[in-house]
Amino acid sequence: MKKALFFLLSFLAFANVNAQMVNPVKWSSKVEKISDTEFNLVMEGKIEDQWHVYSQFTPENGPLAAEFKFKDAKGNYELIGKVKESPYKKQYNDVFEVDEYYFEKKVTFTQKIKVLNPSLTTIKATIDYQVCKEVCINQDYAFTFSLPKIVMANPEEVVTNIDSIEADTTQTPKEKVKPAASTDVAQPKKEENRGLLTIFFLAFLGGFAALLTPCVFPMIPMTVSFFTKQSKNPGQGKRNAILYGISIIAIYLILGSLVTGIFGAEALNSLSTNVWFNVFFFILLVIFAVSFLGAFEIMLPNSWANKVDRQADRGGIIGILFMALALAIVSFSCTGPIVGTLLVESASKGGIAPIVGMLGFSSALALPFMLFAMFPSWMHSLPKSGGWLNTVKVSLGFLELALAFKFLSNADLVLQLHLLEREVFLAIWIAIFGTWALYLLGKITTPHDSPLTHISVGRLSLALLVLAFTVYMIPGLFGAPLKMISAFPPPQTYSESPTGFFGSSAEVSKGDLPDGAKIGEHGIITFTDYEKGLAHAKEVNKPIMLDFTGFACVNCRKMEINVWSDERVLSVLKNEVVLISLYVDDKRDLPKDQQYVSKETGKEVVTIGNKWTDFIITRYKTNTQPYYVLTDLKEQKLNEPISYTPNIDEYLAWLKDGVSKFK
């Protein structure tokens, strides 16, 4: 009796989510006239409480970004710029380790167009998007915009065409399944501020590192000597020193502002998550790294430095400003790669991050010049220039090289090429940091190194730290999670051996796997093709567990990490059921002869993800993920399906109930 009551309550708890199609967004559209040929196409969505729609600027490897398609544009109209959107909220997702950009309550997208064909009366467009709460839904929606046939007297007048979501019952998931962001509206702002502070701190460290390079450090005593000799009294010297430091900061702030202004705050984030820009950043950082390692120097034309130097001789405020500019130009061979890396990294955050990064970098660079010029007696405490400056420069080269492969990994993950899987990435990092340790220990030298007669305590300490980090990464080749650097290498599932070389999957080699199966999470034998999984279940006479999931579904990952890892649950999944994971966001095209139009939704099914989306809608009348179904060999439900269930005991009870009914 208690058992029956428990499952009745469980069913009621999930009925609202699982027993019906969910449409949390109601869309409407309108046309706003700008001129006789230019219009704004406005798409407005009203979002139900606690649900979130994700922005088109959401980073790769995170929640599914909104995507727009405008049909039959050629010869009829042209798009002016990108789709603009209402302000979004931002929050860090610790599962995917990226920032989420999302909307609550309401969202507005606006596309400006110019009409080329005077007889054009309608424009059709679609939006593919993701909406999440505890579960996620991948949906699309079709808009039809009616253009005015006459010139409007009032430019503010609009022609409205309301597209009610109830009028289109074919709205189906089409792409990825993702995390629902927190409903705490104060949290995104806090996370954004924290992100900017992190950028400032890292940039400050970068500025300090640039200060300790051969191009910059020797200029400190030269600059102090200049201010000491040129100033009529100590007060004037201090004022000039402060002005000099402010000038340095201003120059780099202008650089950060130019980057943000030229590309735009949102475009920076969009570019940084683009495959080809990730490849470009990889090549750029490799060039920077090779330069720091001593192969060549990246220098600005000497004529620039000469012209600026002549202006610096003028004295006064203008002279000091040009002195700061001269420092930036002369030291470019050392500071350029660091500045470039900081701009690339901060660009991935979008917004004003490049400006904040340049503020941190320039502050660290300018502060010592200011302080030593104000207090010349401190100069005696500075270490003498020497070979250690080149050691700093070479060390930065190793760091640049390691960071470069993060960008290449991003591109590989997006394209799913599996060229830079987790083991390969870690092997490269182990080689880079291991070589760095050997360099610090004096076993390897670079072209510009001075003869090393002994190793200082500081250099030895850094060598031991780098060597320890190298050793720490080695177990990652065999399945260790490496939580300290989890944001850098590809995820464990993106590897040659998802559970490690000596993990639980070792008992089943790839050659012994059933047809169509792979080794999935926690070493579970998993099918991604329904028919092959069904055939295997009949062969071994076990019930089937359908796992409707997505590559980027955060609550799917939470279930796998926190619930499936429980020994009791894992035992059932490994030994008592046949697991079939169907990814509704798989963008690979189906063969032409397998593409069709859904009888249930009337939509084209052209990708593998479309196929499994249509499958869950047609058979189970829902469109949410994660979604779990236990069936017998006749494909009949053994008990009521469930969705996101973080309570391990509840999930285990549901599993055991279905298995017992099968037996």
Side-chain angles (χ1 to χ4, degrees):
M1 182 65 182
K2 289 182 179 179
K3 189 174 182 181
L5 179 60
F6 171 80
F7 285 106
L8 176 60
L9 292 174
S10 297
F11 166 71
L12 292 175
F14 292 103
N16 289 335
V17 173
N18 299 326
Q20 60 185 1
M21 291 285 293
V22 182
N23 294 319
V25 187
K26 297 185 184 298
W27 291 101
S28 64
S29 65
K30 62 184 179 182
V31 179
E32 294 179 348
K33 183 176 179 181
I34 301 172
S35 68
D36 288 343
T37 59
E38 293 183 336
F39 302 89
N40 279 333
L41 307 182
V42 182
M43 297 157 277
E44 295 181 338
K46 293 183 179 179
I47 309 168
E48 291 183 8
D49 287 346
Q50 299 183 20
W51 289 87
H52 301 78
V53 171
Y54 292 96
S55 162
Q56 62 186 317
F57 302 112
T58 295
E60 295 283 356
N61 306 319
L64 179 67
E67 182 179 352
F68 300 89
K69 296 176 183 177
F70 293 87
K71 300 181 179 180
D72 303 321
K74 189 174 182 180
N76 291 316
Y77 62 95
E78 64 179 6
L79 305 178
I80 302 176
K82 291 188 175 182
V83 175
K84 295 182 179 179
E85 54 186 44
S86 51
Y88 53 65
K89 295 183 178 180
K90 182 178 178 181
Q91 180 173 350
Y92 184 73
N93 184 309
D94 56 1
V95 174
F96 291 108
E97 298 172 340
V98 298
D99 288 321
E100 295 179 343
Y101 304 95
Y102 63 93
F103 306 94
E104 291 179 324
K105 305 291 185 182
K106 183 180 179 181
V107 58
T108 301
F109 297 107
T110 305
Q111 174 65 62
K112 186 178 180 181
I113 65 158
K114 182 177 182 179
V115 176
L116 304 176
N117 181 2
S119 62
L120 184 67
T121 57
T122 60
I123 293 177
K124 293 185 177 181
T126 60
I127 176 176
D128 293 343
Y129 64 98
Q130 186 175 66
V131 56
C132 291
K133 191 170 64 171
E134 285 189 347
V135 294
C136 290
I137 308 167
N138 305 315
Q139 298 188 300
D140 60 14
Y141 187 70
F143 297 94
T144 300
F145 300 93
S146 297
L147 299 178
K149 297 181 180 180
I150 59 173
V151 177
M152 297 179 187
N154 181 1
E156 298 299 322
E157 184 180 352
V158 297
V159 175
T160 304
N161 171 39
I162 300 297
D163 296 295
S164 170
I165 201 159
E166 287 85 5
D168 182 4
T169 58
T170 65
Q171 188 176 17
T172 68
K174 197 172 181 180
E175 300 263 75
K176 295 185 180 179
V177 176
K178 298 282 170 142
S182 169
T183 56
D184 181 4
V185 296
Q187 186 68 12
K189 185 66 178 178
K190 186 188 297 183
E191 294 291 341
E192 183 173 358
N193 291 339
R194 187 181 302 168
L196 291 176
L197 285 174
T198 301
I199 290 172
F200 179 87
F201 177 71
L202 293 176
F204 189 88
L205 291 179
F208 184 71
L211 187 73
L212 302 178
T213 58
C215 317
V216 182
F217 190 81
M219 296 184 71
I220 296 177
M222 294 170 56
T223 305
V224 172
S225 175
F226 173 84
F227 283 118
T228 302
K229 293 178 180 178
Q230 295 296 322
S231 302
K232 296 178 180 179
N233 54 67
Q236 185 184 25
K238 291 181 180 180
R239 286 193 299 272
N240 290 342
I242 293 173
L243 182 59
Y244 180 68
I246 293 174
S247 299
I248 294 173
I249 294 172
I251 288 169
Y252 285 100
L253 280 180
I254 291 171
L255 176 60
S257 300
L258 285 174
V259 171
T260 304
I262 292 172
F263 293 101
E266 292 176 338
L268 276 173
N269 179 69
S270 179
L271 290 178
S272 67
T273 58
N274 179 276
V275 171
W276 299 113
F277 271 87
N278 271 290
V279 173
F280 172 74
F281 291 155
F282 164 73
I283 295 172
L284 187 66
L285 293 188
V286 168
I287 293 173
F288 289 161
V290 173
S291 171
F292 269 167
L293 292 174
F296 54 85
E297 287 194 354
I298 302 173
M299 299 181 66
L300 294 175
N302 288 330
S303 59
W304 292 17
N306 293 334
K307 290 178 181 178
V308 170
D309 196 47
R310 285 195 294 269
Q311 294 296 324
D313 292 337
R314 295 171 56 181
I317 296 177
I318 298 298
I320 292 173
L321 179 61
F322 276 98
M323 274 189 64
L325 186 57
L327 170 68
I329 293 174
V330 172
S331 64
F332 184 80
S333 61
C334 290
T335 60
I338 300 175
V339 169
T341 304
L342 289 173
L343 286 174
V344 166
E345 187 63 25
S346 59
S348 66
K349 304 299 181 183
I352 62 170
I355 300 175
V356 173
M358 289 301 95
L359 176 63
F361 176 84
S362 58
S363 297
L365 193 64
L367 195 59
F369 283 93
M370 293 170 57
L371 292 176
F372 284 109
M374 293 170 67
F375 306 101
S377 59
W378 290 6
M379 288 292 299
H380 301 295
S381 63
L382 276 179
K384 293 182 179 180
S385 299
W388 66 273
L389 291 173
N390 192 68
T391 302
V392 173
K393 186 178 177 181
V394 172
S395 295
L396 290 173
F398 283 111
L399 286 174
E400 294 255 8
L401 191 59
L403 183 60
F405 282 93
K406 171 58 180 171
F407 290 95
L408 187 62
S409 173
N410 289 344
D412 183 62
L413 280 167
V414 172
L415 295 175
Q416 291 288 300
L417 297 177
H418 288 269
L419 298 176
L420 199 62
E421 292 180 320
R422 184 179 176 89
E423 293 90 346
V424 178
F425 182 95
L426 288 175
I428 292 172
W429 266 38
I430 289 169
I432 291 172
F433 283 92
T435 306
W436 184 13
L438 291 175
Y439 169 78
L440 292 172
L441 291 171
K443 303 300 181 182
I444 297 173
T445 58
T446 60
H448 300 295
D449 281 322
S450 303
L452 187 65
T453 57
H454 67 281
I455 298 176
S456 66
V457 175
R459 181 166 178 161
L460 179 61
S461 300
L462 181 59
L464 292 175
L465 183 64
V466 174
L467 185 60
F469 179 68
T470 305
V471 174
Y472 167 78
M473 288 190 289
I474 293 174
L477 295 172
F478 309 102
L482 303 183
K483 294 182 180 180
M484 187 186 299
I485 58 169
S486 60
F488 290 94
Q492 186 69 57
T493 53
Y494 195 78
S495 64
E496 295 180 8
S497 180
T499 54
F501 295 157
F502 304 114
S504 57
S505 63
E507 61 194 58
V508 182
S509 67
K510 290 186 178 181
D512 297 332
L513 288 174
D515 182 35
K518 68 174 185 177
I519 300 172
E521 290 289 335
H522 311 297
I524 305 169
I525 297 177
T526 307
F527 290 83
T528 54
D529 183 282
Y530 179 77
E531 296 300 333
K532 291 181 179 179
L534 176 61
H536 180 71
K538 290 179 178 179
E539 183 180 330
V540 298
N541 193 33
K542 290 182 180 179
I544 298 165
M545 190 180 100
L546 296 179
D547 164 33
F548 291 96
T549 182
F551 289 114
C553 168
V554 70
N555 282 341
C556 302
R557 299 293 85 77
K558 285 181 179 178
M559 289 293 294
E560 293 161 5
I561 294 170
N562 301 323
V563 179
W564 288 14
S565 60
D566 181 85
E567 291 184 2
R568 299 166 297 167
V569 173
L570 191 57
S571 176
V572 175
L573 295 178
K574 278 187 173 182
N575 304 311
E576 299 185 50
V577 300
V578 173
L579 177 63
I580 304 178
S581 293
L582 304 177
Y583 290 83
V584 301
D585 57 3
D586 192 331
K587 292 185 177 182
R588 291 176 296 170
D589 289 334
L590 288 167
K592 289 290 184 182
D593 59 347
Q594 295 182 25
Q595 297 179 8
Y596 62 95
V597 175
S598 170
K599 294 180 180 178
E600 183 75 18
T601 66
K603 297 190 176 183
E604 293 183 351
V605 176
V606 296
T607 67
I608 295 174
N610 293 160
K611 177 181 178 180
W612 302 132
T613 294
D614 186 56
F615 183 84
I616 188 175
I617 291 172
T618 302
R619 185 164 296 192
Y620 300 110
K621 309 302 178 187
T622 188
N623 54 354
T624 61
Q625 295 84 41
Y627 193 74
Y628 306 105
V629 186
L630 285 170
T631 74
D632 59 21
L633 301 181
K634 295 181 180 179
E635 303 176 68
Q636 300 299 310
K637 292 185 295 184
L638 293 169
N639 53 10
E640 284 301 321
I642 64 173
S643 186
Y644 179 63
T645 311
N647 186 296
I648 295 175
D649 291 332
E650 287 183 21
Y651 192 81
L652 179 64
W654 173 79
L655 275 175
K656 288 186 174 180
D657 174 67
V659 171
S660 65
K661 287 179 178 177
F662 176 83
K663 292 179 179 179

